[in-house]
């Protein structure tokens, strides 16, 4: 046995995230991507790599966007009501634990509504590739409302749902679901 075989290896953890190049931003073959909300996470390169492979991408909430977890059926009704009212609806993921609305960062700081949870900053969100639209899924997750491509210089919140635009339709959808549940 050699000395090298007995020398401990220093493990420093995963490599630091690297920013995506301009070529990656403009030539990503994965379809529409909300670059403007992913760039602040520092994981854009990892996200694009995962999506190119058809995998979920792990991204922390609270850096480029916030995430509101709701029941799936209520989310579908909320999206319908928002569209009928002419409100902007950003990306929404539908998965086994419900739906996740991607919100403007900081737009719902005091969110308090029944049957919903605003995820804490740093909570990991699993984003399916943008071309995976409900009812298609990757690991049981798909886009109820898919993300849209944003220009690199677009406002950080462009293309995602503002929290204030969500509250009214969401509360109405919750009341409708509760009323339907009370019917014989």
């Amino acid at each position: 046995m050699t000395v090298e075989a007995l020398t401990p290896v220093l493990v420093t953890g995963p490599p630091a995230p690297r920013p995506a190049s301009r070529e990656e931003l403009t030539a990503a073959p994965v379809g529409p991507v909300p670059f403007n909300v992913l760039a602040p996470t520092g994981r854009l390169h990892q996200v694009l790599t995962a999506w190119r492979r058809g995998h979920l991408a792990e991204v922390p909430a609270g850096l480029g966007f916030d995430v509101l977890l709701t029941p799936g059926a209520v989310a579908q009704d909320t999206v319908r009501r928002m569209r009928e009212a002419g409100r902007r609806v950003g990306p929404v993921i539908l998965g086994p634990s419900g739906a996740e609305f991607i919100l403007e960062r900081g737009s719902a700081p005091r969110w308090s509504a029944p049957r919903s949870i605003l995820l804490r900053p740093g909570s990991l969100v699993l984003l399916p590739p943008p071309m995976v639209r409900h009812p298609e899924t990757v690991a049981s997750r798909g886009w109820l409302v898919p993300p849209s491509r944003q220009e690199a210089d677009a406002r950080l919140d462009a293309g995602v749902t503002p929290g204030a635009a969500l509250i009214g339709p969401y509360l109405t959808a919750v009341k409708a679901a509760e009323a339907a549940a009370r019917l014989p």
Side-chain angles (χ1 to χ4, degrees), residues 8-69:
V9 176
L10 178 61
V11 177
T12 59
R18 75 167 180 79
S21 68
R22 178 62 114 179
E23 292 77 32
E24 287 174 309
L25 291 174
T26 58
V30 294
V33 180
F35 297 122
N36 57 331
V37 297
L38 293 176
T41 69
R43 294 191 181 181
L44 185 55
H45 175 71
Q46 289 86 344
V47 169
L48 294 176
T49 300
W51 284 350
R52 283 186 190 110
R53 294 178 178 158
H55 299 144
L56 298 174
E58 192 175 82
V59 180
L63 299 175
F65 57 90
D66 290 337
V67 177
L68 181 72
L69 180 61

Side-chain angles (χ1 to χ4, degrees), residues 91-108:
V92 181
I93 300 167
L94 197 54
S97 61
E100 297 165 10
F101 283 85
I102 308 298
L103 303 177
E104 289 178 3
R105 188 173 59 87
S107 71

Side-chain angles (χ1 to χ4, degrees), residues 73-136:
V74 172
Q76 291 177 352
D77 189 27
T78 300
V79 167
R80 181 186 59 78
R81 291 172 187 278
M82 289 181 73
R83 287 181 171 153
E84 288 173 357
R87 295 186 181 182
R88 181 174 76 203
V89 182
V92 181
I93 300 167
L94 197 54
S97 61
E100 297 165 10
F101 283 85
I102 308 298
L103 303 177
E104 289 178 3
R105 188 173 59 87
S107 71
R110 293 180 189 88
W111 181 274
S112 178
R115 303 172 70 186
S116 66
I117 299 169
L118 186 64
L119 298 183
R120 291 181 179 194
S123 298
L124 293 178
V125 180
L126 298 174
L127 304 178
M131 64 290 242
V132 176
R133 301 205 165 81
H134 179 70
E136 292 180 42

